[in-house]
Each structure stands twice: as C-alpha cells, then as structure tokens.
Amino acid sequence: MSSYRVAVVGATGVVGTQMLRTLVDRGFPASAIVPIASERSAGKSVPVGGENIEVTVLSDAAVSGYDIAIFSAGGGTSRDWAPKFAAAGAIVVDNSSHWRMHDDIPLVVPEVNAAALDAVAEAGAKRIIANPNCSTAQLLVPLKPIHDAAGLKRLVVTTMQSVSGTGKAAIDELRAEAAAIVNDKSPPPPTSYPHQ
C-alpha cells in the first residue's frame, strides 16, 4: 500500500479540523499529515492522531513535497494556492466552490462518477479535483442507482444550508443567540450574519 504526504489547507477551520480527524479515523495511508493555515494561525497546534502538530503557515515555501493537498480554506485561497500545490506535484482536492464550474476541472462524487478522476492523471491536466457542496454530494449518492435503473429527467430540491459552512465564528454566534433566546434574554448583536 502506498503512503502519501498529505497537506490539509485550512486545517484550523471547522471543516479542516474534521478532515484531519477523518484522515486519522479512517486510517488513510499517510506517511505525514501536515496542517496548513493562514498567517492568523501561526503558532497554533492542532490534534492529528493523538499528537498536537504545529500549523504550517501557507506560503510559497509550504507548497512542495506533498502527494495530496486537501483544501477547505475558501474560494479565494483555493483560487490562489491550489494551482501552486498542483504545480509542485500534489493532486489537489478542493472543497470550496471556486473550481466547481470550470470545464477543465473534474467535479467528482466518487460513488457517482469516480471515472472522472482519470482526467486528473492525463498529460496537461491541472491536477485539481472539485467536489460539489455537501447537500449535493449526499443527495447524488442515492439518486445515482435510481437514475441508472429508471432514469431521472428533472429534480427539484430545496435545502436549508448549515451555519457551519460559514465557519467557527458563525457557529459561536448561533450558539450565543440560541442560549440567549432559551434563557429569555436579548441575543447579542450579529457579526457573522446581518439578520437574526
């Protein structure tokens, strides 16, 4: 079995910390899992498999030496940094919305269209893989066998998106608002969302 050097970009965010945990919990064959985050996280450590690992600050010097780079740091960060990691040799899996609608970047839900990953290995490929948002990814998994068996022509879906997609500050804000309401107090002024 191969052993991969994995960078997790956005490692101090809500999704990034879950990605670190999932890599360890699933026993992903990694020789190293390196948490990477912005300058704001300089000096911080995050738990990775029972030990605290200091976060590497995202910089030009930090892009080399990885087989896989998993991004969950926002569209702007993915736009600017995913191509640098890819040019340095990593296959990039991007969790932001930035690459989702690029014709030359495969949009992949492995249980649905894993064959699209073959394009990443082709000569001249950008070495970036996009994934759809969370509600789309989980919806497509059960719809694929239905489509294969009976065919689907149209689907109308309404989702109520999670606050967690906005990050820790939004989660903390919602928690404070809920606590205030439950305790019959005025909620604090909003910071992440302008309306309560």
Side-chain angles (χ1 to χ4, degrees):
M1 181 179 282
S2 297
S3 189
Y4 303 99
R5 283 186 49 81
V6 180
V8 176
V9 180
T12 57
V14 173
V15 176
T17 56
Q18 182 59 51
M19 286 180 176
L20 291 170
R21 214 173 7 253
T22 300
L23 286 167
V24 172
D25 290 350
R26 298 276 175 97
F28 187 81
S31 60
I33 299 172
V34 179
I36 299 177
S38 70
E39 188 71 44
R40 290 186 316 255
S41 295
K44 288 185 180 178
S45 293
V46 294
V48 180
E51 58 181 299
N52 286 327
I53 307 286
E54 186 171 343
V55 171
T56 298
V57 173
L58 184 59
S59 68
D60 286 328
V63 303
S64 296
Y66 301 103
D67 301 297
I68 300 168
I70 302 172
F71 271 67
S72 188
T77 300
S78 292
R79 177 196 63 228
D80 296 342
W81 291 94
K84 293 180 182 185
F85 276 82
I91 296 291
V92 175
V93 179
D94 182 43
N95 197 44
S96 81
S97 61
H98 180 75
W99 299 102
R100 288 180 183 157
M101 301 308 288
H102 286 71
D103 290 339
D104 56 347
I105 303 293
L107 180 62
V108 178
V109 177
E111 298 84 355
V112 175
N113 65 336
L117 293 171
D118 295 341
V120 176
E122 292 175 4
K126 290 191 175 178
R127 300 177 64 86
I128 299 171
I129 300 163
N131 64 35
N133 77 0
C134 53
S135 58
T136 302
Q138 59 190 321
L139 181 63
L140 289 177
V141 174
L143 288 176
K144 172 73 163 107
I146 295 170
H147 176 68
D148 290 348
L152 294 171
K153 292 183 180 174
R154 184 167 184 240
L155 181 69
V156 177
V157 177
T158 300
T159 66
M160 305 298 173
Q161 296 296 305
S162 171
V163 149
S164 63
T166 309
K168 185 178 181 323
I171 293 169
D172 292 344
E173 180 175 307
L174 178 61
R175 188 174 286 133
E177 288 172 352
I181 291 167
V182 165
N183 292 301
D184 202 26
K185 297 184 179 183
S186 295
T191 55
S192 295
Y193 290 107
H195 305 288
Q196 293 178 326

